[in-house]
Amino acid sequence: MTVPALLSALLPAPLSASTLLGLSTPPLHLTVAVDMTGSSKNPAFRYADQARLLSQSVLFNQLRSGDTVTLLRICDGVQTVADFRFQSKNGARLARADILRYTTALTKPCAGKGSAITAGLALAARRGGRRPGWVT
């Protein structure tokens, strides 16, 4: 009996190259908190554009099926823009239209005054410390 035939008889499911090489990773728990108070209203800083591009980059390049995502917008209070477990068929990534919709909502400038930075950081820390398989 050859080695591949022996391996296929012993293993219940086919292995991918990444699994054989130990490259597979456990699900990620991504928390993106964007502070839209203060300089976000000043167009000279273009903070909203920078925050949008950074969050889009994270969602396009890091998010895989099984990962949990929390998007927090810090304004007068802490607003949860999205909180979900991403599941896809055949390893597909989150749709581009969904990422653009989420990041546009995440970086919408604040209308009022005030800040909730401490509350936002506390919520981000709680969401980042979730156990695998647990979504609130």
Side-chain angles (χ1 to χ4, degrees):
M1 185 175 246
T2 65
V3 174
L6 182 61
L7 281 176
S8 64
L10 295 175
L11 298 173
L15 294 175
S16 66
S18 63
T19 304
L20 287 173
L21 295 173
L23 300 176
S24 60
T25 59
L28 296 176
H29 304 288
L30 298 171
T31 301
V32 177
V34 177
D35 175 19
M36 294 307 297
T37 60
S39 64
S40 67
K41 296 177 192 168
N42 187 340
F45 291 106
R46 301 191 59 83
Y47 178 72
D49 294 338
Q50 294 172 15
R52 188 177 308 110
L53 287 174
L54 181 61
S55 58
Q56 285 173 357
S57 176
V58 168
L59 292 175
F60 277 127
N61 297 317
Q62 301 300 318
L63 189 62
R64 302 287 185 266
S65 186
D67 296 344
T68 56
V69 178
T70 300
L71 302 176
L72 303 173
R73 181 173 170 260
I74 301 171
C75 214
D76 301 335
V78 183
Q79 302 167 350
T80 303
V81 173
D83 188 21
F84 62 93
R85 175 182 296 272
F86 175 60
Q87 295 295 333
S88 69
K89 294 181 179 178
N90 304 325
R93 294 184 179 170
L94 188 61
R96 184 175 190 272
D98 291 336
I99 291 175
L100 295 176
R101 183 172 40 103
Y102 285 135
T103 56
T104 298
L106 183 66
T107 57
K108 186 173 71 172
C110 295
K113 294 183 178 181
S115 178
I117 295 172
T118 305
L121 292 174
L123 183 57
R126 279 197 315 273
R127 296 285 171 96
R130 293 190 286 197
R131 293 184 311 269
W134 180 54
V135 177
T136 59

